[in-house]
Amino acid sequence: QVQLVESGGGLVQPGGSLRLSCAASGFPLVNYAIRWFRQAPGKERGGVSCITGRDGSTYYADSVKGRFTISRDNSKNTVYLQMNSLKPEDTAVYYCAAKQGLYGSDCFGRPSGYAYWGQGTQVTVSS
């Protein structure tokens, strides 16, 4: 049974850091792209970062480049999103989503293209 569980969200001051985790079960990470999305109230869900299945290539939205780092631990079947230098505009519910595939093309597209989603974890950046 495919399942994704996010954790690690919370309240942090601007400039602070959080590490989000996405624990996957029911499938191996090496066969799926794992992509982080976020959604703030009144805004569309948008991609934040992604890591490919085959070789762990990474991708980032321009708004988070240089601040966020996506990684994975295949032995734990877990993907991480290290978020540094957080800004108030990073406030959102963060979701991880999985799409079966091996390559970078699986790290792009509409949210509806991802079959599996976690429940989301709230990140609030505020002073």
Side-chain angles (χ1 to χ4, degrees):
Q1 184 69 33
V2 172
Q3 187 174 15
L4 300 172
V5 179
E6 302 101 330
S7 61
L11 175 64
V12 65
Q13 294 190 34
S17 298
L18 288 171
R19 189 181 74 162
L20 306 184
S21 298
C22 175
S25 61
F27 63 92
L29 293 179
V30 295
N31 293 134
Y32 287 76
I34 304 296
R35 188 173 177 188
W36 287 96
F37 293 85
R38 66 186 181 187
Q39 188 167 26
K43 294 186 177 180
E44 293 184 332
R45 188 172 300 183
V48 177
S49 187
C50 187
I51 188 164
T52 67
R54 182 177 179 269
D55 60 4
S57 297
T58 59
Y59 301 88
Y60 300 92
D62 287 344
S63 59
V64 306
K65 283 182 179 178
R67 300 189 297 120
F68 291 11
T69 302
I70 191 170
S71 62
R72 71 184 183 193
D73 184 337
N74 290 340
S75 69
K76 297 180 179 179
N77 226 44
T78 298
V79 172
Y80 304 96
L81 185 67
Q82 179 66 45
M83 306 187 297
N84 298 327
S85 301
L86 283 161
K87 304 174 180 179
E89 52 263 43
D90 295 317
T91 296
V93 178
Y94 284 70
Y95 301 89
C96 62
K99 183 179 183 180
Q100 189 171 12
L102 304 177
Y103 307 108
S105 60
D106 300 305
C107 275
F108 300 91
R110 297 178 298 177
S112 61
Y114 293 81
Y116 308 108
W117 292 80
Q119 82 289 348
T121 186
Q122 176 71 48
V123 172
T124 302
V125 184
S126 176
S127 60

